[in-house]
Amino acid sequence: KNSEGVCLPSKLIFMTETKMQFETLNLIEPILKAVKEEGYSTPTPIQAETIPIILQGTDLIGCAQTGTGKTAAFAIPILQLLSANKAFDRKRKIRSLIVTPTRELAIQIGESFNAYGRHTGLTNTVIFGGVNQNPQTATLLRGVDILVATPGRLLDLINQGFLNLRDVEILVLDEADRMLDMGFIHDVKRILALVPKKKQSLLFSATMPDEIVKLAASMLNNPSRVSVTPQSSTVDIIKQYVYFVDKGNKNSLLVNILKEQDIKTALVFTRTKHGADKVVKILLKNNITAEAIHGNKAQNARQRALTNFKAQTTRVLVATDIAARGIDVDELEYVINYEMSNIAETYVHRIGRTGRAGAKGTAYSFCDAEEKEYLRDVEKLINKRIPVIDNHPFPLMDHNPVKEKKQQGRGNTGHRAPKPAVTTSTRRWSGR
């Protein structure tokens, strides 16, 4: 139990690196075939440990950083479990429900089910708000085996009578802490009241605040727990750097860095929607293709921007934190924090867009005088000092002496700037 007397999950498993192959996980041939077609042979640590547990029908709580491959960790065994007992009713029933906080993440989870389940004959659909509900309700009326949904639209369509959850056999809450941050916790509790008591439940979360621990205790039955990294830690393979720069020079610094041609694509984070749009305008003026993705954008515009970014027809995607866990782009090497988040945990989720599933990644953060406090919070959370790049063309002039006094003792690590920050002539440095 924790300090509040809440029962913690009973079985704790900390992951180590594994060399096993998907063939050793006792997967059925249709799924193995799809996995091979996706180009995968070796499961990530969370997949290697989680898939056998879920296949046993056990409840599970997964504490995993973003980018560890956890979508496949639950999608693959769900597809296998449902395939073992296919329902060939004229109207299919919702047998598995995956609840996730954002539209982008819901779409990507749906894509994963399509990819891994292409040979199983199982059907799935995705529902989320911000778009016309008619195509979604038409699909639901035809019947689906697996439903991926955001909380608001799910409850709305339930209230309208377009679906029910009485046949759910497997429930997944993905990014549970993010749902808490976004105010969905009460919606989640309403959803839990609508699903059968007898079911398999899976909860995934990057962090485990007390409220998530309580939620897990209320919905899980003697669960196993898989943890691939320490709570709130960053992916070690990501190279992290900070630039101290005046707020008014951030645009110039960003353009300067992006002049290096080795940076094929970059995901840039701002704190506000207005700020994201302003950054896009600056980049376009400097002949750098860029699009913004945030809550004020229509869903089709957001999806188009993400598609263009994945296809690398758009070089820079500028996003607010709504996309911090909803963007999954293969081989994305660069994340740039144009503005430091005032929530330290958000830094972890932002930079987790790169270095995914063991790939290389680099995260640059622009820190002005007023953001030094945010930087200290980040370093305290990740328990490490982020190297400072100090020889760039736009050094911080407004040192903010009041806050600088608190910074004394931290010191400057003396790192020289990677050459892309000051020149476009060299290819030796790639941020790796």
Side-chain angles (χ1 to χ4, degrees):
K1 296 183 178 181
N2 67 2
S3 59
E4 298 181 357
V6 177
C7 290
L8 295 171
S10 59
K11 306 169 190 173
L12 182 61
I13 302 167
F14 287 99
M15 291 301 304
T16 57
E17 186 177 358
T18 178
K19 296 297 184 183
M20 72 167 58
Q21 304 294 303
F22 276 106
E23 285 82 355
T24 66
L25 295 177
N26 296 318
L27 299 177
I28 59 177
E29 183 57 32
I31 293 177
L32 276 178
K33 181 180 179 181
V35 168
K36 290 178 181 178
E37 289 171 351
E38 290 297 303
Y40 304 134
S41 59
T42 304
T44 65
I46 193 170
Q47 293 164 3
E49 190 65 34
T50 298
I51 290 173
I53 293 173
I54 298 175
L55 288 177
Q56 293 173 3
T58 304
D59 283 7
L60 179 138
I61 180 167
C63 189
Q65 291 177 343
T66 184
T68 53
K70 62 181 171 59
T71 299
F74 63 76
I76 288 174
I78 287 174
L79 287 164
Q80 179 147 325
L81 289 171
L82 298 186
S83 295
N85 184 24
K86 287 185 180 179
F88 292 102
D89 298 346
R90 180 175 297 180
K91 181 179 178 181
R92 300 190 185 212
K93 301 173 182 178
I94 298 170
R95 301 174 60 200
S96 182
L97 171 66
I98 295 86
V99 183
T100 194
T102 68
R103 294 176 281 189
E104 287 76 19
L105 189 54
I107 290 169
Q108 289 169 14
I109 292 173
E111 291 173 350
S112 293
F113 273 103
N114 286 333
Y116 304 127
R118 60 168 65 102
H119 303 303
T120 64
L122 296 168
T123 61
N124 77 86
T125 195
V126 180
I127 62 173
F128 46 80
V131 297
N132 189 303
Q133 72 175 38
N134 292 337
Q136 298 177 1
T137 56
T139 302
L140 289 171
L141 291 173
R142 289 193 296 270
V144 294
D145 299 297
I146 301 163
L147 177 63
V148 184
T150 54
R153 177 54 62 92
L154 175 62
L155 288 170
D156 185 23
L157 295 186
I158 290 174
N159 291 336
Q160 294 183 52
F162 286 108
L163 65 98
N164 67 75
L165 305 178
R166 59 176 172 262
D167 297 298
V168 169
E169 302 168 23
I170 307 172
L171 171 68
V172 181
L173 293 188
D174 192 27
E175 304 283 7
D177 53 348
R178 181 62 171 161
M179 282 194 271
L180 175 64
D181 292 341
M182 296 176 67
F184 288 139
I185 193 67
H186 296 296
D187 286 346
V188 169
K189 290 178 179 179
R190 290 172 60 195
I191 293 167
L192 292 176
L194 297 173
V195 295
K197 290 185 178 181
K198 186 178 179 180
K199 64 185 178 304
Q200 184 177 11
S201 299
L202 316 172
L203 183 148
F204 290 87
S205 187
T207 60
M208 290 298 296
D210 285 345
E211 193 158 0
I212 296 301
V213 173
K214 293 178 183 177
L215 181 65
S218 70
M219 67 174 282
L220 302 173
N221 179 30
N222 191 28
S224 296
R225 174 170 174 170
V226 174
S227 181
V228 296
T229 52
Q231 181 174 322
S232 297
S233 67
T234 49
V235 180
D236 290 335
I237 201 169
I238 300 174
K239 296 182 182 295
Q240 303 170 59
Y241 302 97
V242 62
Y243 290 84
F244 288 114
V245 56
D246 288 317
K247 185 175 182 179
N249 283 333
K250 286 188 176 184
N251 288 333
S252 298
L253 178 59
L254 180 61
V255 171
N256 185 275
I257 290 174
L258 291 173
K259 285 180 180 178
E260 170 53 48
Q261 296 303 308
D262 278 350
I263 301 180
K264 295 181 180 179
T265 59
L267 176 59
V268 176
F269 281 106
T270 63
R271 284 199 299 269
T272 68
K273 304 166 188 174
H274 178 64
D277 291 334
K278 287 180 65 176
V279 170
V280 168
K281 289 180 181 179
I282 293 296
L283 294 177
L284 292 176
K285 285 182 180 179
N286 285 272
N287 298 316
I288 298 171
T289 57
E291 293 183 80
I293 180 170
H294 54 66
N296 282 355
K297 296 285 186 179
Q299 175 60 28
N300 58 354
R302 290 164 62 176
Q303 192 58 36
R304 182 174 61 250
L306 185 56
T307 299
N308 291 341
F309 186 60
K310 287 181 177 181
Q312 297 187 6
T313 54
T314 294
R315 187 181 175 201
V316 179
L317 186 65
V318 186
T320 55
D321 289 319
I322 192 172
R325 299 194 199 178
I327 296 176
D328 186 1
V329 180
D330 292 339
E331 300 180 358
L332 172 63
E333 289 193 29
Y334 292 91
V335 166
I336 300 175
N337 291 308
Y338 179 87
E339 294 171 311
M340 297 292 295
S341 172
N342 59 343
I343 301 173
E345 288 83 357
T346 299
Y347 172 87
V348 177
H349 305 318
R350 285 180 176 185
I351 72 168
R353 296 303 96 204
T354 185
R356 297 178 69 79
K360 295 179 180 179
T362 299
Y364 295 136
S365 296
F366 296 175
C367 183
D368 62 40
E370 295 181 355
E371 293 174 321
K372 288 183 178 181
E373 183 177 350
Y374 303 154
L375 176 62
R376 287 196 295 273
D377 290 342
V378 166
E379 292 181 328
K380 181 178 179 180
L381 176 69
I382 66 176
N383 195 31
K384 67 186 295 184
R385 291 180 180 175
I386 302 174
V388 177
I389 294 174
D390 59 3
N391 68 333
H392 61 88
F394 309 99
L396 179 65
M397 303 302 292
D398 176 12
H399 292 289
N400 199 343
V402 175
K403 292 186 178 180
E404 190 71 16
K405 186 176 181 180
K406 298 180 181 178
Q407 186 76 354
Q408 288 178 358
R410 176 180 182 275
N412 193 311
T413 60
H415 283 259
R416 305 300 289 172
K419 288 187 178 182
V422 295
T423 179
T424 60
S425 62
T426 180
R427 298 179 60 84
R428 182 171 57 189
W429 172 266
S430 65
R432 302 177 187 177

